[in-house]
Amino acid sequence: MWLSGVVIFLLCLVPTHQQFPRLCATQEALQTRECCPPWQGDSSACGARSGRGSCEDVIVSNQPDGPQYPFSGLDDREKWPLVFFNRTCQCTGNFMGFNCADCKFGYFGERCSERRESLRRNIFHLTRAERNRFVSYLNLAKQTPSIDYVVATGTYREMQNGSNPLFANVSIYDVFVWMHYYVSRNALLGGPGNVWANVDFAHWAPAFSPWHRVYLLHWEHEIRKLTGDNTFSIPYWDWRDAQGCDVCTDELMGSRSPLDPDLISPSSVFSSWKVLCSQAEEYNNRGVLCDAREEGPVRRNPGNHNRNLVERIPTSAEVEFTLSLTNYDTGPMDRTANMSFRNTLEGFGDPQTGLGSSSRLGMHAALHVFMNGSMSSVQGSANDPIFLLHHAFVDSIYEQWLRRHNPAPSQYPEANAPIGHNGDYYMAPFIPLHQNKEYFISSKDLGYEYSHLLATNQRLSESLRPYLEELRETWPWMLCAALCGVIVTIAVAAIVHTVKQRYRNLSWPQGKSWKGGFVLPERQPLIHNSDNNDTNHQNYQTAM
């Protein structure tokens, strides 16, 4: 309890930077269309007096979008964030955040001048203490109410152009669940059942990899601020060639419940988690947004999925084929794209031929379907914490492709991609603002690395690290046990020596002597006679 209190106190002192900032979810901010909160360090908007940033007009790109979304002015995510705000903080130097209170990814320190590279590790290469810490951080984020930001439960029109703010309080973890729902939800065209399903501002098009990269970076950043642990990095699950969900253990992400195969084992902390924003069909039927209420437990039944849709977990060969594709995206840059690295990685291109509109899902999408539960719904998938491990590995494949092909910035499309995916488009629903093309760069430029992309000798060291750590933790006990053994041995030897000295001059009845006069009485032989030799031998074998 005291830890939760300390965390909440710290959160009150240190603002975070997600959508919607609580300070911008007010009638005044919505009606003035301005989200420029003060930095607490000098109480000026965006920390202007300290040179951290300034409140500026948002300039959005006018490059044309693709034909997949034929509407304009109907969805709050169009030309993000102009429907809600046309002025936001623009930070200088290495500062970042909705009020320029934070540092850009990869920078630390009071003045954001300390450059540091973190390492995302294979979850099976973590020590036991690191695995326990990861699970406890996840649960802490799920149980800790967010102090600094809220989630929208209505459209701007339903908010009556800002005069009636509609927002809900959720936990830190659930803010990210809501964000993934919000960016991928259907467009509401007005009235029950009247939706446009062929739209997604973070999937099915070029921004898939950059958007999820920013998502993970923000999530990682929030966990560090929540816990005060600046060494924290998201681990990844290398699922290549896996025969099943090998992270589905009670020590890690939760095993299968013996009472219900669709639920998580009661022995796992995740069995008590409640999901939100997971009922896309119901929201569409009602023509409304998710209201952020709890909707039941996390569901998962790995391997019992539709085999016609997904055959198995992706293989190493399929990952290698995907990495061999030289073009980041092609053609209409949607799910029909052929020989597109992005489309094949996302799972709509065949990982053996590269042809789009595959009848079977592969790569990223295949793993989602394989989990057969909360993960299988695009909008609700972030409810399952396996989502983070999965997308960290997907991001590592994206990173490997960037390093192998070293694409020119022009490979990321400036125009004619599906709405939300052009290079200069600001990612919904992030505040502070991020453009898609800004994250078409190496992870090393953003301050992090993956352990399986290290040099060979470093990879070997990383794989041995948990065993060496366990040895380092246990060697004092092993040393203590050895010392105790030596002491016991010395004590026994001393007792034997004392006994020998005491009985040296005593005589015993007839019997056999034992080294220097200690005589034992005669006993019956173990083998009585030759007639019983075979029987005893057989019994000995039987006993063995």
Side-chain angles (χ1 to χ4, degrees):
M1 290 297 292
W2 69 268
L3 178 59
S4 298
V6 170
V7 168
I8 292 174
F9 174 74
L10 290 174
L11 283 170
C12 291
L13 294 179
V14 186
T16 55
H17 54 265
Q18 295 299 333
Q19 131 72 28
F20 284 87
R22 187 179 295 276
L23 295 175
C24 298
T26 65
Q27 186 180 76
E28 180 183 2
L30 291 171
Q31 291 185 328
T32 61
R33 304 284 185 89
E34 183 172 292
C35 182
C36 295
W39 174 53
Q40 290 185 335
D42 64 9
S43 299
S44 66
C46 312
R49 282 201 292 269
S50 300
R52 299 177 78 96
S54 57
C55 189
E56 303 290 343
D57 292 342
V58 176
I59 308 299
V60 300
S61 171
N62 289 319
Q63 292 286 355
D65 299 315
Q68 294 87 352
Y69 180 76
F71 308 103
S72 178
L74 288 177
D75 193 288
D76 291 346
R77 299 166 295 181
E78 296 176 29
K79 296 186 181 298
W80 181 262
L82 292 188
V83 168
F84 292 98
F85 309 110
N86 54 29
R87 285 174 63 81
T88 64
C89 288
Q90 292 187 21
C91 306
T92 61
N94 296 328
F95 298 114
M96 187 180 73
F98 66 76
N99 60 351
C100 302
D102 296 292
C103 300
K104 283 184 176 179
F105 302 123
Y107 289 90
F108 297 83
E110 186 177 347
R111 298 295 301 172
C112 301
S113 57
E114 179 186 346
R115 178 74 173 172
R116 194 186 310 165
E117 186 176 278
S118 60
L119 184 66
R120 292 181 180 173
R121 294 184 168 96
N122 187 321
I123 193 166
F124 292 109
H125 293 168
L126 300 182
T127 66
R128 183 178 289 105
E130 288 169 336
R131 293 194 295 268
N132 291 341
R133 186 160 56 244
F134 173 60
V135 171
S136 67
Y137 284 179
L138 282 169
N139 197 47
L140 181 61
K142 181 71 171 181
Q143 306 304 328
T144 304
S146 173
I147 299 298
D148 295 296
Y149 44 94
V150 292
V151 300
T153 58
T155 64
Y156 192 74
R157 184 181 61 185
E158 289 172 333
M159 295 184 194
Q160 298 172 9
N161 297 327
S163 63
N164 179 36
L166 296 173
F167 297 96
N169 297 308
V170 295
S171 73
I172 292 171
Y173 185 93
D174 286 338
V175 167
F176 288 89
V177 172
W178 175 88
M179 290 175 69
H180 196 263
Y181 150 76
Y182 189 82
V183 76
S184 58
R185 66 174 175 81
N186 298 148
L188 305 178
L189 304 182
N194 190 15
V195 301
W196 182 262
N198 191 26
V199 62
D200 193 310
F201 285 71
H203 301 84
W204 311 340
F208 167 73
S209 296
W211 190 93
H212 286 85
R213 170 161 285 189
V214 172
Y215 179 92
L216 292 179
L217 282 166
H218 273 299
W219 192 90
E220 196 171 60
H221 184 76
E222 293 304 321
I223 292 297
R224 290 172 181 168
K225 299 183 81 168
L226 170 65
T227 62
D229 182 0
N230 284 327
T231 66
F232 171 77
S233 293
I234 300 173
Y236 62 86
W237 173 27
D238 184 347
W239 35 249
R240 291 174 296 182
D241 304 315
Q243 298 304 302
C245 181
D246 47 14
V247 296
C248 293
T249 65
D250 286 338
E251 184 187 22
L252 294 174
M253 312 315 289
S255 62
R256 195 191 311 269
S257 171
L259 305 176
D260 186 337
D262 291 331
L263 299 178
I264 298 174
S265 165
S267 300
S268 169
V269 67
F270 302 118
S271 65
S272 65
W273 281 26
K274 303 299 182 184
V275 303
L276 67 154
C277 300
S278 64
Q279 301 175 358
E281 186 174 351
E282 180 187 334
Y283 312 142
N284 290 342
N285 291 338
R286 293 166 52 201
V288 299
L289 294 182
C290 157
D291 60 10
R293 296 180 185 177
E294 293 182 348
E295 297 171 342
V298 177
R299 295 191 172 274
R300 188 195 300 157
N301 194 342
N304 294 308
H305 59 285
N306 183 351
R307 300 281 173 166
N308 294 323
L309 191 60
V310 168
E311 183 179 359
R312 48 168 164 67
I313 291 176
T315 65
S316 298
E318 291 170 337
V319 171
E320 184 54 38
F321 175 84
T322 302
L323 286 167
S324 73
L325 298 171
T326 57
N327 293 315
Y328 179 70
D329 221 337
T330 61
M333 297 174 281
D334 57 19
R335 285 170 287 183
T336 69
N338 296 322
M339 308 308 289
S340 156
F341 164 75
R342 186 277 314 161
N343 197 36
T344 307
L345 173 63
E346 193 170 355
F348 303 105
D350 190 306
Q352 297 178 14
T353 66
L355 298 179
S357 301
S358 176
S359 60
R360 284 189 169 181
L361 299 178
M363 297 297 286
H364 152 263
L367 202 285
H368 276 280
V369 173
F370 178 87
M371 299 312 296
N372 191 33
S374 301
M375 274 274 282
S376 299
S377 160
V378 176
Q379 296 178 24
S381 56
N383 278 293
D384 190 329
I386 288 179
F387 178 95
L388 296 166
L389 303 180
H390 171 45
H391 271 277
F393 188 62
V394 171
D395 182 71
S396 79
I397 298 174
Y398 172 47
E399 178 61 24
Q400 195 170 352
W401 184 87
L402 289 170
R403 296 187 193 184
R404 180 180 298 189
H405 298 282
N406 193 26
S410 59
Q411 267 225 43
Y412 195 93
E414 288 292 331
N416 300 313
I419 188 169
H421 293 261
N422 286 342
D424 288 329
Y425 213 102
Y426 289 117
M427 299 177 181
F430 290 104
I431 294 178
L433 304 179
H434 303 282
Q435 291 178 313
N436 294 318
K437 66 181 182 183
E438 293 174 339
Y439 295 87
F440 193 61
I441 58 175
S442 172
S443 69
K444 297 180 75 67
D445 295 326
L446 298 167
Y448 71 101
E449 172 65 292
Y450 284 99
S451 61
H452 77 101
L453 301 183
L454 294 169
T456 303
N457 59 333
Q458 292 175 300
R459 290 202 306 272
L460 177 60
S461 175
E462 271 299 309
S463 63
L464 293 175
R465 190 183 66 88
Y467 305 105
L468 296 176
E469 288 290 335
E470 295 287 346
L471 182 61
R472 187 171 69 178
E473 291 176 6
T474 58
W475 79 264
W477 298 100
M478 296 172 63
L479 178 60
C480 181
L483 289 173
C484 290
V486 170
I487 292 170
V488 170
T489 301
I490 293 172
V492 170
I495 292 170
V496 170
H497 177 73
T498 301
V499 171
K500 287 176 63 178
Q501 290 294 328
R502 179 173 298 178
Y503 296 107
R504 176 173 296 172
N505 298 321
L506 294 180
S507 60
W508 290 81
Q510 287 188 349
K512 296 184 179 179
S513 64
W514 176 60
K515 291 185 180 180
F518 188 19
V519 182
L520 294 174
E522 196 71 59
R523 294 178 180 271
Q524 291 295 322
L526 293 176
I527 300 178
H528 299 288
N529 55 55
S530 60
D531 293 338
N532 292 330
N533 278 354
D534 291 341
T535 302
N536 282 315
H537 181 66
Q538 290 172 0
N539 287 342
Y540 180 71
Q541 294 283 13
T542 302
M544 285 293 292

